[in-house]
Amino acid sequence: MYTLVSAALWVVGKALAPVADGLLEAWGATKNLGLNIEALRMELLLVKATLELAASKQICGQAMEELLGKLRDSAQSAEDLLDELDYFRIHDELHGTCDAADHHAKGGVHDFAFNARHTAEAVGKKVSCCAWPRARQRSNVNSSLDPKANQESGSHVSSSSEPKANQEVSGCIPKLGKILPCSSSPNVRDEHSGQPTLTLCGAPQRETPMLGFNRVDVSEKMKLIVEQLQPVRKEVTKILQCCDHMAVLDITRNRPITSGQSIEPKLYGRDHIMDTIIHDMIKGKYHSKDLTVLPVVGPGGLGKTTLIQHIYKNQEVQNHFQVVIWVCVSLNFSLNKLLEEIKACIPRVEGEIDGRPEELIEQRLKSKRFLLVLDDMWEISNEDDWKRLLLPLKASQQKGSIILLTTRFPAIAKMVETQSHIELKGLESKEFRKLFLAFVFGDEPIINDHSFLLETGNKIMEKLKGSPLAAKTVGKLLRKGLNLSHWIKVLESKEWDKQTSVNDIMPALKLSYDYLPYQQQQCFSSAALFPEDHKYRTIELINLWIGLDILQPVGQNQTLEDIGLSNLSDLVAHGFFKKEETYGHYIMHDLLHDLALKVASHECLIVHHSNVGSIEIYPSIYHLVIIVNVDDTMSREIFKSQLRKLKTRLKVKRLHTLMLFGEMDESFANILGDFFKEANALRVLHLDNMPYSGETMLHDLPTLVHLRYVCLGTKYGREMHLPLPISRFYHLKILDLGSWYHILDLPKDLNNLAALRHFYTRSDNLHSHIHNVGKLKLLQELKVFRVNKESEGFEPSQLEHLTELRELGIYNLENIRTKEEAARAKLIEKNYLESLTLCWDGKGSNTEPRVEAAILESLQPHRYLQKLCIKGHKCPSCPTWLGTELVVEVLQSLHLSGVSWEYLPPLGKMWDLRKLVLENIAALKDFVIEQCFWRLIKLELVDMGSFEKWVPSQDTHHMFPLLQTLHIRNCPKLLELPFSNHTVCPSGQDWSTDWFPKLQELVIIRCPELLLVARIPWTKTLRYANIRDVKLLGVLEYNSQSCHLVNVTGKDEMHNLDQVLAFNKLAGLESMVLKRCPPLEWKQLVMLTSLKKLVFDSADALVGPLGVECDVEWQHPVERLDVQESCGASGKELTKLLTHLPRLSMLCIINCENITQLAVGVDLERTTSAASEVEQHKDEDGLLLFLANLSDSLRELRIRNCPEVALLDPPFNFFPALQSLERLQIFGSPKILPAGSPSCCCFPSSLQELDLWDVQGMGTLEPLSNLTSLTKLRLGNCRKDLRCKGLGPLLTARGKLRDLIVIGSPRFFAGWDPNPRRVQLQDELGQGQKLQQLGSFKLSTDDHMGLLAAPICSFLSYSLTHLRLSDNDKIERFTMEQEDALHLLTSLQRLDFGSFSKLQSLPAGLHKFTNLKKLGVMSCPGVRSLPKDGLPKSLQELDVSRCDNAELIQQCRGLVGTIPKIKLQPRD
């Protein structure tokens, strides 16, 4: 009942808002309308008083709920009506019209005619039974604009653009263009319809009709609302007189009191946490401390209490602590009550003296080690009470006492913890499954009869996200019926949401919700308007709350945004949202999202394809969310059909919110257009992925007089003009076009939106197009304002009254000539301003330096500014408010660019400075550092042409103690970094922390004179470094985060890697790439104990002399070795290195001309003798010997562009000896297989992937017939006469081949008949065993002539799912025989035609492929159309790229809406 009363109070408060300041009453102060407004205001005040009284009474019952609902509904009608009336008040103020006034401005006969018109309209509506002048008046508006319609109705339309008196007494409102011009653009007429249109943002658009106003009708509706409110309010008042005052609300009164005894005999999935806590209490880190407070935090239902109960009852714990105490705190944190309960749990001691509870506790625990559990803590009245609770507990002289505390709220945990709290999350899937099945089936094993339920059970478990209480709730539900239909019903309807027992999941979670104030309850429930797993942004949530008028200011200095941030922080503190620190967004647990859906279900309707036909729709729905999450054509069509039916079941005219997620096609837009025609009460409109037809769709909207928040977006690449007449939405507070592409212009009268607070755009520069921006007095961001005194509406004085600004950028300041002009911006009075940019055009100013200095002095901001950027100021000194008389001393960010100042401001005095950017300051040669930058986190120095060195004071140490990011770019004269004489230390010395002890990111680019004295990494904190074009180095990249790597490209002057790398601090390095570097020395390599990948590129040598003593004595864990472009590296040198890499699993040899022969050795012990045998061969240095120890470790071998490399003749039997090899790539090495290779198997049977390109040794695939594990085979330009003989075994039941590419062998399939081979294989498999091809098979080839033969296609008919035919410059059409053969491939799901330069048409009969999902036509310029007999209905994606045939493209565009995804890409 509390929620119902609060909801009604909230609506009444909103209804009273338009009349709060007296403007609306003054505007309507006539003998009719003014009295009605006052009467309605008074009645609303009485209703508010009644509801406030109800909030203090004990009320209950369904009848009272219905009465409160009636009050809320009538108050909602009052809000709508007064809001519309306020809309017309604003309209009259803006345009000087009197259509919403009581008297005509001209008086006399005009007064009579004007009132007659209002009365006639009211009578006309009564006759026509129209309740409120919306839709029917829109038809009147249209008829007034249409000459033919006016002729038919007998009304006269003047050819003049100015209306005449006889127009004003007609049955229609005056011409829309006069009442409310949408923009300054002229009216034009649509060529086809003859309807008037207007040009908005560069595109002709139809005028959107405006809501008509009739004073008599408004008066009658106000009277009607008062008549509806009065009797209900009076009856409620009578009832309340008989009700008792309500006691303090206790939402946990039905919640069971917990104890140390658990009803769950077994603890699932928390063993590790429990064991860790017990160990730390008994033997570990808490054992020797005075008193430890350890909170356990998590949402309801995650098992916090159960975990602590099992710890509490553990025998070791009971033996360790002399006193164990369990107290269930629950909602009310009463210090006296808690002390009493704790005292009662502690045994008396001999000789204790009676006193207060805290005194007795102190006496009893003085010599005891104790464990105190405070379970289910919801609040702490104040921090002092918590400290008072701890005082007697800290009196214990024994070490190791513990307070274990459970709470749902992270804020409480942070307040009380002495050790970092433990945050419980959902159980891991394996443990959760055990728990879930235990609740369903008990301890009995799952029998086969029930195993069919597990697939549905798995889907249910996914939705429960590891919550133990949810598993218990759902387990009880599923146990009632161990049949599939019952389980599916539970899954699809989320039956667990409907359970009401206090021990079920939703009631447990709802306790936290009930604990919130009503405003925060609304904020939380609004999260239901976003899809599950949505990543919430701060501004996204707060803007929605503002748009729904949820946020109500309670003080003069509080803004809506401040209130929103406070509410969001509270919701995080209460565990409803969790902030992801990395990206700054918020996430919500799925069960909490389900709770939001549940508490909002009577007002919010969330529809998607799976529920749109069956969802229950309440008459009180105000918010509609449509989630488009279907891909296949049939499901989309069903979804659209159900959406059309939904409109007949839903009261669209009551909607306050309409949000759509997912991608709309054109037909979706038409359906939404029908919704919009009736959605007159919308406050929030969120469409962030509109189709092309969205322009037309939105122009069919009525005038949305209530609109507060609009978010519109288009898919990237769609050129769309802003379709809405946005300047009409006088109540609009937020306009979000951050995802809107290609906006060309803004309407000139955008300044009509006096309530606008936020205007988000993709381009900041769009802000500079707002004409007369000074009228938007509530605007908080004006990122670009260009001073242009020659153009009215862009003078500095426009900024004078924008006192709410948080962010401001003033550009073209060279156009201000005097300090008086600058002072008119009144920056010093903008007390909320956080970020300020002041920019002079880089081309220079004609203003004298003295005057320009005075102008900057006059642009002084207030003292609490946080971010300041000054660009292009050409005076020799900075302003006094930034220099000698520093005013903005709390600056957090300072950016100076292109200024001509001879000296920098006193940066050290800006004690809170976090970010400093110095850019293009020509006069700066030395960076003088006089004081420590205590809080500086980021420093950037860019384009500093004269900057040479840093000049610290004599006694400077720890100058940048918190600096995390240092960027230096384009400083050609810079010689050194400030740590040159401070951080260099011997290799064995500890890390230096003098200057940059916290540095995490270092970027230095194009500083050719800079010599890095400190070696990477010089601090333990360094995570990323990108150094380019400095002395010694072309590139040095370092990353210690996701993959710990170093990438070094050296210069000629580098002689040793020790000059740039601190190898003794790189023990954790996993990947190293060395390009044009000196050889890696063995003593350096052995220090890289974690190295997994090593790459040598363009090196004359790989590793320096190893020394005789190191030949066999050390081994390295490198798993991947790449040697490329290494002209000086010999096979002998590489062989030597391989002897020390026993774990090597991948070897890549690329562009190594000196390696000419490959052979396999014996084993590590016989290396010497094997090498001696090899010496007999003429090319000793060119021989790469694979020792036998690599046979077990090497999994992948790549040999590319080694034109001379060849295998030695037997006894060196190379590939088969590599018995663990799984992937082999040979590119551009034609001699590696000798010509006329035998048909016997020459590759290891372990191969899974084989790539052979430009390898000439094979004539057939028979050498591959033993590769039964092969899944991918790619053959390119191997031989023109290469044939597929031997392919059959790879495709049949013995083989695993799933992906085959054959290019450059034009007769590969020619004449192949797999049938004889099939008979032979059938005999081999045995009688009665059916030959089959397993799984799906993908094939890409340029031999379409050989492939498209009936025997081959028949053989592949059941397995070939993906086929690409490509690279043919001769074929113009497929023959009938080829088309017939193609039709045999009935399993095709994807078919691509690529690079057929002369192909004129696609094969006929493509519609016969009933399984085809994707069709691609790429680089086929001769194809002019799709097949005449159409495409298959199963098609989901059509990709036509680089064909450039206009007829074909147009035909494909005509299929939009019938195929879910169509991609049309022109040639580059």
Side-chain angles (χ1 to χ4, degrees), residues 630-641 665 667-668 1412-1413 1432-1437 1455-1461:
V630 286
D631 294 325
D632 62 286
T633 304
M634 183 174 296
S635 297
R636 289 175 75 90
E637 291 304 317
I638 294 173
F639 187 32
K640 293 172 191 174
S641 175
D665 60 24
S667 52
F668 268 117
L1412 195 67
K1413 296 179 180 179
K1433 294 181 179 180
S1434 60
L1435 200 65
Q1436 296 181 12
E1437 184 174 350
L1455 295 176
V1456 171
T1458 63
I1459 299 175
K1461 185 175 181 180

Side-chain angles (χ1 to χ4, degrees), residues 1124-1236:
Q1124 55 194 40
E1125 303 286 351
S1126 296
C1127 300
S1130 67
K1132 184 176 180 180
E1133 182 183 4
L1134 184 54
T1135 299
K1136 192 81 170 178
L1137 177 60
L1138 292 179
T1139 63
H1140 299 280
L1141 308 179
R1143 300 183 190 177
L1144 193 69
S1145 62
M1146 181 175 179
L1147 176 62
C1148 301
I1149 303 171
I1150 303 172
N1151 294 336
C1152 294
E1153 297 179 356
N1154 289 351
I1155 297 177
T1156 58
Q1157 294 178 319
L1158 303 179
V1160 174
V1162 187
D1163 54 34
L1164 196 60
E1165 288 76 14
R1166 299 171 61 185
T1167 299
T1168 306
S1169 59
S1172 300
E1173 291 182 41
V1174 169
E1175 287 180 5
Q1176 302 173 16
H1177 299 276
K1178 58 181 179 180
D1179 190 0
E1180 179 183 345
D1181 288 340
L1183 175 64
L1184 173 59
L1185 181 65
F1186 286 70
L1187 298 178
N1189 64 298
L1190 292 180
S1191 297
D1192 295 329
S1193 66
L1194 198 63
R1195 298 290 187 272
E1196 182 168 355
L1197 175 61
R1198 299 179 184 178
I1199 301 174
R1200 296 187 178 186
N1201 301 329
C1202 297
E1204 300 302 321
V1205 71
L1207 300 182
L1208 287 181
D1209 294 331
F1212 302 102
N1213 194 6
F1214 186 73
F1215 289 119
L1218 301 176
Q1219 57 191 16
S1220 298
L1221 200 64
E1222 296 174 353
R1223 290 173 293 279
L1224 174 61
Q1225 291 184 1
I1226 304 176
F1227 284 58
S1229 303
K1231 298 180 181 181
I1232 197 164
L1233 291 180

Side-chain angles (χ1 to χ4, degrees), residues 202-273:
Q205 319 228 356
R206 295 197 306 275
E207 283 188 344
T208 303
M210 177 188 169
L211 178 69
F213 175 81
N214 182 276
R215 179 177 49 77
V216 175
D217 192 38
V218 171
S219 178
E220 290 180 356
K221 288 192 77 68
M222 282 193 282
K223 291 178 183 177
L224 178 61
I225 292 171
V226 172
E227 291 170 0
Q228 291 172 342
L229 283 170
Q230 277 182 346
V232 181
R233 187 253 307 164
K234 290 178 180 178
E235 293 303 318
V236 171
T237 302
K238 290 179 183 178
I239 296 172
L240 291 177
Q241 291 173 353
C242 304
C243 296
D244 296 330
H245 281 280
M246 183 172 61
V248 176
L249 180 67
D250 185 2
I251 63 170
T252 62
R253 57 183 178 271
N254 295 322
R255 185 165 173 78
I257 301 299
T258 63
S259 69
Q261 188 68 40
S262 174
I263 62 173
E264 304 298 342
K266 185 175 180 180
L267 186 66
Y268 287 86
R270 306 291 191 202
D271 293 337
H272 177 69
I273 297 176

Side-chain angles (χ1 to χ4, degrees), residues 7-8 11-16 40 43-44 47 51 66-82 221-233 622 654 683:
V11 175
V12 171
K14 291 197 300 171
L16 284 167
L40 182 56
E43 184 58 35
L44 287 170
V47 171
L51 292 170
E66 189 171 340
L67 289 172
L68 290 174
K70 286 183 177 291
L71 285 179
R72 175 177 174 169
D73 290 343
S74 297
Q76 188 63 66
S77 298
E79 184 205 354
D80 288 346
L81 181 59
L82 292 172
K221 288 192 77 68
M222 282 193 282
K223 291 178 183 177
L224 178 61
I225 292 171
V226 172
E227 291 170 0
Q228 291 172 342
L229 283 170
Q230 277 182 346
V232 181
R233 187 253 307 164
Y622 286 103
R654 294 184 55 146
R683 268 71 170 169

Side-chain angles (χ1 to χ4, degrees), residues 587-606:
I587 57 176
M588 178 179 285
H589 192 283
D590 286 2
L591 288 173
L592 287 171
H593 190 270
D594 288 344
L595 175 65
L597 288 170
K598 182 178 177 64
V599 298
S601 60
H602 284 266
E603 294 190 354
C604 300
L605 183 65
I606 318 295

Side-chain angles (χ1 to χ4, degrees), residues 1070-1087:
E1070 297 177 6
S1071 175
M1072 172 177 276
V1073 179
L1074 302 176
K1075 184 174 183 179
R1076 292 195 292 275
C1077 288
L1080 182 66
E1081 296 182 4
W1082 71 267
K1083 63 180 181 180
Q1084 298 167 341
L1085 182 59
V1086 295
M1087 283 190 277

Side-chain angles (χ1 to χ4, degrees), residues 594-843:
D594 288 344
L595 175 65
L597 288 170
K598 182 178 177 64
V599 298
S601 60
H602 284 266
E603 294 190 354
C604 300
L605 183 65
I606 318 295
V607 297
H608 42 81
H609 77 285
S610 60
N611 74 350
V612 63
S614 59
I615 193 168
E616 184 178 3
I617 299 177
Y618 297 99
S620 54
I621 293 297
Y622 286 103
H623 313 287
L624 173 63
V625 177
I626 301 173
I627 301 175
V628 183
N629 56 355
V630 286
D631 294 325
D632 62 286
T633 304
M634 183 174 296
S635 297
R636 289 175 75 90
E637 291 304 317
I638 294 173
F639 187 32
K640 293 172 191 174
S641 175
Q642 294 288 356
L643 280 179
R644 293 186 184 96
K645 295 177 182 177
L646 177 69
K647 181 175 171 293
T648 64
R649 302 163 54 204
L650 179 67
K651 294 182 179 179
V652 178
K653 64 181 180 181
R654 294 184 55 146
L655 288 180
H656 284 188
T657 304
L658 180 58
M659 303 176 73
L660 185 137
F661 296 94
E663 187 173 348
M664 291 187 289
D665 60 24
E666 310 302 314
S667 52
F668 268 117
N670 295 334
I671 295 170
L672 285 180
D674 292 337
F675 272 90
F676 292 154
K677 290 175 183 177
E678 298 181 24
N680 301 313
L682 281 182
R683 268 71 170 169
V684 173
L685 179 61
H686 187 286
L687 305 171
D688 64 355
N689 200 347
M690 296 200 312
Y692 290 103
S693 59
E695 299 176 69
T696 305
M697 171 187 74
L698 293 177
H699 268 289
D700 290 334
L701 283 170
T703 300
L704 299 177
V705 301
H706 305 290
L707 209 56
R708 264 69 171 169
Y709 174 28
V710 171
C711 177
L712 298 176
T714 62
K715 191 173 182 180
Y716 180 77
R718 291 175 174 170
E719 291 198 18
M720 291 177 60
H721 300 287
L722 185 62
L724 283 176
I726 52 177
S727 54
R728 295 186 187 183
F729 303 146
Y730 303 146
H731 289 133
L732 193 66
K733 296 178 180 179
I734 299 143
L735 178 58
D736 186 351
L737 302 176
S739 298
W740 190 275
Y741 292 84
H742 304 291
I743 298 175
L744 303 179
D745 202 356
L746 294 177
K748 191 173 182 179
D749 51 359
L750 187 71
N751 53 61
N752 286 346
L753 307 181
L756 194 66
R757 306 175 69 85
H758 302 283
F759 180 26
Y760 304 112
T761 61
R762 285 191 58 79
S763 169
D764 294 345
N765 193 55
L766 198 62
H767 283 192
S768 68
H769 298 169
I770 303 176
H771 186 263
N772 280 323
V773 70
K775 295 181 180 181
L776 305 179
K777 295 180 181 179
L778 299 180
L779 193 65
Q780 296 193 20
E781 303 95 9
L782 184 58
K783 296 185 178 181
V784 180
F785 175 81
R786 298 193 180 278
V787 177
N788 185 357
K789 296 186 298 180
E790 306 301 322
S791 179
E792 182 182 355
F794 297 95
E795 309 87 352
S797 59
Q798 289 290 325
L799 304 175
E800 180 175 354
H801 299 296
L802 300 182
T803 56
E804 301 293 319
L805 284 174
R806 264 68 172 169
E807 185 173 359
L808 173 62
I810 309 177
Y811 292 75
N812 297 112
L813 282 167
E814 69 277 2
N815 292 330
I816 296 181
R817 303 299 184 187
T818 66
K819 64 179 183 179
E820 289 76 17
E821 288 182 76
R824 293 193 65 183
K826 295 190 175 180
L827 296 188
I828 200 169
E829 297 180 10
K830 303 190 190 311
N831 294 325
Y832 296 111
L833 194 63
E834 298 172 355
S835 176
L836 174 65
T837 297
L838 302 173
C839 183
W840 281 259
D841 192 308
K843 297 178 181 177

Side-chain angles (χ1 to χ4, degrees), residues 1344-1357:
H1344 69 280
M1345 295 183 67
L1347 175 69
L1348 297 181
I1352 298 176
C1353 290
S1354 177
F1355 178 70
L1356 299 174
S1357 59

